[in-house]
Structures are given as C-alpha cells and as structure tokens.
Amino acid sequence: MSLLASAPGPNTAARSGSSGARARRRGTAEPVPYDFRRPIQLSREHSRTLQLGFDGFARQATTVFTSSLRTVCGVALTAIDQRSYAEYVDSLDASTYLTMFAADPMPGLGVLEIPLLATMSCVDHMLGGPGNPDQPQRPLTEIESGVIGGLIERLLGEMRYSLAGIVPLEPTVTGIEYSPQFAQVAGAADVMVVATFDLRIDERAHRMTVCLPFSGLLPHLATAAAPAPASDRERAKRAQAAELLQAQFATVPLEVAVRFRPTRLGPDALSVLQAGDVVRLAHPSSAPLDVTVDDKIFAHATPGAQGQRLAALIVGTQKES
C-alpha cells in the first residue's frame, strides 16, 4: 500500500503565516485577571476625575521634591487601580515608609507610601549629603523622622489642594509604619483606590503610592461627576427666556379654517359636473361646522354674522366632544 503526501501549497503557507502573525499580535497584550467575586466599581468617569486630580498632585509633588532636595526630581502618575487592601499590602516591599493619615471628611484612613530607599535618599539630600544609591535599610532615627516629616506634610498639603475639586480633604498624619503587614488601615477585603506614581530622584526611579478608601471616596466622586448646578443668575436667565417664549407664542399668527364635513363623489359624478349643477353635501343641517388648524379639528362652531361680516360662534371644543 502506498501513501501519497502533498507538499503544502502557497495558500497553505499564507494561511499559516497569517495565523502566526495573529498569534504574535495576540501575544503582545498581557491578559488582565478579572475576579467576578469582586466586580470593578470604579467607573471610567470616576477614573477620569481622579486622574485629573492626581495629575495635579504629581506636578505639585515634583516642585516639592525638587525644592526640598535641591536636585532634579520628577513625579508622574502611572496608574489608578481598584484593589482590596490585602492586594495593596502584598504589592508593597517588606520594608517601606508608610504614612497613615486621617482623610476627613472621608471615613477611614489613607496611606502615602514612599519606598524606604527613596526616603533615606531624601533625608540624605536634605541634610546636605549627595543622596547615594547605597542607603541603609532601617527605621529612621528621631532626627531623620523630623526631617522627612516636613516633606510629608508638604506633600499632604499639595494633595489637599489638588483633590479639592473632588473631596475637601483635611489630611492629618496619624502614624508611621515600616512594615505594611502591621499597618492597620482597613480590612483585608475592603476596596481601596490606589494611585501609583513614578518618583525619580537624580534619575533613579522609585514607585510611590497613595491609597484611599473607596467607600468614603465614592459619594464625592459621584458628586464631582454630576453636572454643575445652575447659579441664581443662570436660573433667572432661563426663567426670563421662558417668559419671552411664552409671550411670543401668544402672538404667533395661525391660519384657522371653518369647514363643512367632507363629501365624497365618484369619478363618474365629477366628470359630468357643469356650471349650475347642485352638489348635495354630506354635512347635516343640524351639525356644527368644524374649526381646524393645519387640518386638525380643535373646535366646533355654528355659522352666523357680525355686522357686515360672516362669523362663526364656537359651541364646543374637541376635548369636550
């Protein structure tokens, strides 16, 4: 028994090539996991509102770092995510610099997190050092905490200013923590809004994060995304325009017709009509005439006269009939 094998033709090669290209294109985008038990609650409008606020905070934070450290610094917003507090804690380094603050009038606490390496570099710069990349990984001393505390206070002040259009924050530092596992800010399953920033100090990249409770932020986001209420001047203008429109409607001329009810004639009757012929109308002598506007009946009337002119006396409206 012989087996026949055919070489792949050009069409087959083209199909395999296009399939491979599609596979490569699909492989360029990383899939994003989605947990159906925790649906996304941060809408696109809310994300856009937060992005505008945190973009402003990033610009102001760049000025704060540059003026405080007296070196070239930059802060840029990279992402705004919705995460559980446990997921946020797991994304942080085992040792970092966490500033917990009360986010009045929002319930709960917020977090401003700066990596410990970046924090020590900031302290080194502010104390007149070169800010070497080799910094000790340890808790700050009392003097170092006082030095970095002024920088944190300035950053929280800029956050209050940048997010004023969303929520009137009054951030107050409530504590400092170096281990994320010991920062009792929220429950493990509580939904948080996490803003991630790219912090650059002397061209060295660090990641800085801000974490806020979603439940306290949501009412303010809904209010910020809603249309702005009309001012007293705007409402007065609208009322004046409505009055002018109503007054103009009262003076608009309309063509009103008083008609008999239609009479139907066949083509044979119409074709033999001559001058002097009489056509019997279908309108009963006791029935009122129809008062119409644009072929729409809105009242009924009886024929009459007013002085030297013909007139019609309204005897009922369409609603009454």
Side-chain angles (χ1 to χ4, degrees):
M1 182 176 62
S2 62
L3 297 177
L4 298 178
S6 60
N11 293 335
T12 306
R15 286 196 300 270
S16 62
S18 59
S19 300
R22 285 195 297 269
R24 286 192 297 272
R25 286 196 298 270
R26 287 195 298 267
T28 56
E30 291 294 332
V32 178
Y34 183 86
D35 191 349
F36 288 92
R37 294 172 298 181
R38 291 197 303 270
I40 299 298
Q41 302 176 23
L42 192 64
S43 67
R44 189 171 298 178
E45 292 79 9
H46 295 164
S47 297
R48 178 60 179 165
T49 302
L50 285 173
Q51 183 180 356
L52 293 175
F54 280 119
D55 273 336
F57 171 68
R59 290 191 296 270
Q60 296 300 114
T62 298
T63 303
V64 170
F65 277 104
T66 301
S67 61
S68 299
L69 307 187
R70 294 180 176 85
T71 188
V72 178
C73 300
V75 180
L77 177 66
T78 58
I80 297 177
D81 301 317
Q82 171 192 318
R83 305 181 195 171
S84 67
Y85 183 67
E87 292 172 341
Y88 171 66
V89 169
D90 292 340
S91 68
L92 303 178
D93 296 332
S95 182
T96 185
Y97 190 79
L98 288 171
T99 302
M100 297 171 287
F101 59 90
D104 295 334
M106 289 193 312
L109 298 176
V111 175
L112 172 61
E113 181 263 338
I114 302 176
L116 193 55
L117 180 61
T119 303
M120 297 299 288
S121 179
C122 290
V123 172
D124 192 7
H125 274 290
M126 285 188 287
L127 291 179
N132 293 328
D134 297 329
Q135 298 291 338
Q137 297 286 324
R138 58 167 175 78
L140 275 65
T141 64
E142 185 175 350
I143 294 178
E144 292 169 342
S145 297
V147 171
I148 198 65
L151 177 64
I152 296 299
E153 290 287 348
R154 289 186 62 187
L155 290 174
L156 292 179
E158 296 301 339
M159 184 188 302
R160 175 184 62 81
Y161 173 77
S162 301
L163 299 182
I166 304 173
V167 52
L169 281 179
E170 291 296 337
T172 305
V173 177
T174 59
I176 303 296
E177 189 59 65
Y178 296 95
S179 175
Q181 302 296 333
F182 295 114
Q184 300 297 325
V185 174
D190 289 350
V191 180
M192 312 295 285
V193 174
V194 180
T196 306
F197 300 87
D198 178 29
L199 169 61
R200 293 187 175 272
I201 303 174
D202 288 333
E203 299 301 325
R204 288 189 296 273
H206 308 277
R207 188 189 66 170
M208 181 176 72
T209 60
V210 173
C211 179
L212 296 173
F214 179 76
S215 58
L217 197 58
L218 181 59
H220 300 281
L221 286 174
T223 303
S231 63
D232 293 339
R233 182 178 179 182
E234 229 177 292
R235 285 194 291 268
K237 283 187 176 181
R238 292 179 183 177
Q240 184 181 7
E243 291 177 2
L244 290 175
L245 185 63
Q246 188 69 25
Q248 289 296 324
F249 268 127
T251 59
V252 172
L254 296 175
E255 184 177 347
V256 180
V258 181
R259 300 177 178 176
F260 293 100
R261 295 180 186 177
T263 300
R264 296 180 177 274
L265 294 176
D268 52 346
L270 288 175
S271 60
V272 298
L273 283 179
Q274 296 180 3
D277 290 344
V278 176
V279 177
R280 184 180 180 86
L281 301 180
H283 190 100
S285 59
S286 59
L289 304 177
D290 295 333
V291 182
T292 64
V293 174
D294 197 17
D295 294 329
K296 301 294 182 181
I297 300 174
F298 73 92
H300 302 283
T302 57
Q306 186 176 19
Q308 299 294 327
R309 299 191 176 194
L310 294 176
L313 176 65
I314 303 297
V315 295
T317 62
Q318 185 68 19
K319 291 182 180 180
E320 293 175 354
S321 59

